[in-house]
């Protein structure tokens, strides 16, 4: 093991005289003591390395087949945790903790990171649906979208930090930067526009259409606010507010047009 073998010939033949590929199966090179092998495998007619391959330079190949997730410049590319068929993971720690869930798509660092059994979710953006565990059929597009969601299901959030604090609320729709920002447990709210339903944390069945509409309502339910700042100061329930900067705090069961 202290001798260097020098071969002047250009080609070294292994399994000389083998009748066919099957007969040559297992031919290769073994590094004694390290348990490292480079072996020819008849099944698939391929070379098999049993140790990592460190390449300096460029690898050129007609095709590349990888049977497990790969890491490219700290980014995960593959199926995520569990190696479940039907999942797509792209980004550092994307879909990292998945165990059995399928039909999930995670693009972005930390997207769907802690999901274990939640199925049919789509998360695009850094931290999108990062804390989701078992919830199903939610869509989060944008950095921080549905970031704190754990078990709330069938939510749709599109925009920076949209529905970011939602935890267990279900079937909410938030479209626009910071729309539905503070919702935690409210259900079936619709927030379309910048800062719509901004402070609502537990109210349900609210519809806000227009920048900052229904902005200050924390726990009120069954409100409809349409227009720029419509229902901005609203705190009650069962109101319909239509028009720019209309509505006031404390009212309930009121229609303002």
């Amino acid at each position: 093991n202290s001798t260097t073998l020098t071969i002047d010939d250009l080609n070294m033949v292994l399994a000389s005289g083998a009748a066919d590929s099957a007969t040559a199966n297992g031919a290769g090179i073994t590094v004694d003591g390290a348990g490292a092998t480079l072996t020819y495998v008849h099944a698939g007619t391929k070379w098999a390395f049993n140790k990592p391959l460190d390449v300096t330079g460029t690898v050129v190949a007609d095709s590349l087949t990888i049977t497990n997730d790969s890491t490219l410049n700290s980014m995960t590319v593959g199926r995520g945790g569990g190696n479940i068929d039907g999942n797509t993971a792209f980004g550092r720690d994307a879909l990292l903790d998945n165990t059995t869930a399928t039909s999930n798509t995670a693009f972005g660092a930390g997207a769907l990171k802690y999901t274990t059994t939640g199925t049919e979710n789509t998360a695009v953006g850094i931290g999108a649906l990062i804390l989701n565990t078992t919830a199903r059929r939610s869509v989060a597009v944008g950095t921080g979208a549905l970031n704190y969601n754990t078990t709330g299901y069938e939510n749709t959030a599109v925009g920076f930090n949209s529905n970011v604090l939602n935890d267990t609320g279900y079937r909410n729709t938030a479209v626009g930067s910071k729309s539905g920002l503070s919702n935690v447990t409210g259900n079936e709210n619709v927030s379309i526009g910048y800062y719509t339903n901004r402070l609502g944390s537990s109210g349900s069945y609210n519809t806000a259409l227009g920048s900052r509409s229904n902005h200050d309502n924390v726990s009120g339910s069954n409100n409809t606010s349409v227009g720029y700042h419509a229902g901005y100061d609203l705190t009650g329930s069962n109101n319909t507010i239509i028009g720019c900067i209309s509505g006031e705090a404390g009212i309930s069961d009121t229609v303002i047009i």
Side-chain angles (χ1 to χ4, degrees):
N1 59 6
S2 61
T3 302
T4 299
L5 174 64
T6 301
I7 302 174
D8 293 331
D9 297 315
L10 297 177
N11 188 45
M12 181 171 60
V13 177
L14 302 177
S16 178
D20 51 31
S21 174
T23 307
N25 183 64
I29 299 173
T30 298
V31 180
D32 198 19
T37 62
L38 168 59
T39 308
Y40 174 74
V41 180
H42 169 62
T45 60
K46 59 191 177 185
W47 288 102
F49 293 80
N50 74 336
K51 298 290 184 180
L53 183 63
D54 188 352
V55 178
T56 300
T58 302
V59 176
V60 179
D62 293 332
S63 63
L64 182 64
T65 301
I66 302 174
T67 56
N68 292 294
D69 284 8
S70 298
T71 301
L72 303 178
N73 197 20
S74 299
M75 292 193 305
T76 299
V77 179
R79 297 176 176 174
N83 196 29
I84 306 296
D85 189 26
N87 290 324
T88 300
F90 189 97
R92 185 168 186 170
D93 292 340
L95 208 56
L96 180 68
D97 288 351
N98 185 61
T99 55
T100 59
T102 187
S103 303
N104 289 299
T105 300
F107 276 79
L112 284 169
K113 178 178 179 178
Y114 295 107
T115 291
T116 54
T117 59
T119 62
E120 300 168 292
N121 296 293
T122 299
V124 180
I126 296 174
L129 273 169
I130 186 173
L131 296 181
N132 188 72
T133 54
T134 61
R136 66 188 186 278
R137 298 174 185 167
S138 287
V139 176
V141 179
T143 297
L146 283 168
N147 186 279
Y148 287 92
N149 192 80
T150 57
T151 59
Y153 57 88
E154 295 179 0
N155 292 295
T156 299
V158 180
F160 170 73
N161 276 358
S162 53
N163 252 355
V164 64
L165 297 179
N166 190 75
D167 183 9
T168 61
Y170 58 81
R171 292 176 182 152
N172 295 290
T173 300
V175 180
S177 178
K178 300 181 181 179
S179 54
L181 181 74
S182 299
N183 186 70
V184 178
T185 59
N187 305 316
E188 300 188 44
N189 295 293
V190 177
S191 309
I192 300 178
Y194 175 70
Y195 261 162
T196 47
N197 279 325
R198 192 265 188 202
L199 296 182
S201 61
S202 58
S204 296
Y205 318 117
N206 294 296
T207 299
L209 174 60
S211 179
R212 298 182 187 271
S213 56
N214 212 32
H215 183 277
D216 287 353
N217 201 334
V218 176
S219 58
S221 296
N222 302 307
N223 294 293
T224 299
S225 301
V226 180
Y228 173 71
H229 278 217
Y232 184 93
D233 297 322
L234 198 63
T235 57
S237 298
N238 306 311
N239 297 290
T240 298
I241 312 296
I242 300 176
C244 174
I245 315 181
S246 55
E248 57 188 67
I251 62 173
S252 292
D253 305 301
T254 302
V255 176
I256 299 178
I257 298 177

